[in-house]
Amino acid sequence: LELRADDPTSPEIADLEEEINSYQQTLHLFEYAFGIYAFVVLYRTRRAIRQRYAIPQEFCCEDAVCIACCRCCAVAQYGRHTADYERYRSVCFSTTGVPEQHPSLV
C-alpha cells in the first residue's frame, strides 16, 4: 500500500499537523504571558496615579476590576487624571502628555 502526500493519513501530513500544533501552543503561551505582563503594568500604573493624586478607592479591588473589565477605559482614565486636555493640546512622546511648557495636573 502506497501513501501519498495528499492523503490525510500520510505520515508527512501528521508530522506537519503536529508541528503546527506545537507552534500554536507556543504562541498561546506567549499571548498568555503578555496578557499577565500587561495587566501587572496597567495595575501598577493605576495604583501609582491613585497614590500621586490622592484618589480614593471605591472598593478594595477597584483597580484590578477596572483593568480586567476594560483596559482601554482604564488607560483613558489615566489621561483624564494626569493632564487637562480641554485647556492644552495633547502631544506624543512627552513625559506628561501635554507640551513641556504646560503643567500637569496636581
Side-chain angles (χ1 to χ4, degrees):
L1 181 68
E2 182 179 313
L3 295 176
R4 300 179 328 190
D6 61 343
D7 182 7
T9 61
S10 100
E12 293 86 12
I13 298 295
D15 290 343
L16 184 60
E17 287 175 349
E18 185 177 325
E19 188 174 347
I20 289 171
N21 188 26
S22 174
Y23 286 131
Q24 286 176 337
Q25 289 176 350
T26 303
L27 180 62
H28 289 307
L29 180 64
F30 281 120
E31 289 174 4
Y32 181 72
F34 181 76
I36 291 173
Y37 172 76
F39 180 86
V40 170
V41 167
L42 292 171
Y43 176 80
R44 293 183 73 184
T45 302
R46 186 176 171 94
R47 188 178 65 188
I49 291 171
R50 182 183 298 286
Q51 290 173 350
R52 180 173 181 183
Y53 298 104
I55 302 169
Q57 278 190 334
E58 298 276 329
F59 54 94
C60 68
C61 300
E62 179 180 356
D63 294 337
V65 170
C66 288
I67 292 167
C69 292
C70 187
R71 291 180 183 180
C72 56
C73 294
V75 171
Q77 189 178 35
Y78 299 165
R80 288 194 309 274
H81 284 289
T82 56
D84 187 0
Y85 293 108
E86 291 179 11
R87 293 180 65 192
Y88 306 111
R89 66 181 180 85
S90 61
V91 294
C92 294
F93 308 112
S94 75
T95 56
T96 62
V98 293
E100 296 299 325
Q101 66 269 23
H102 299 296
S104 62
L105 291 178
V106 179

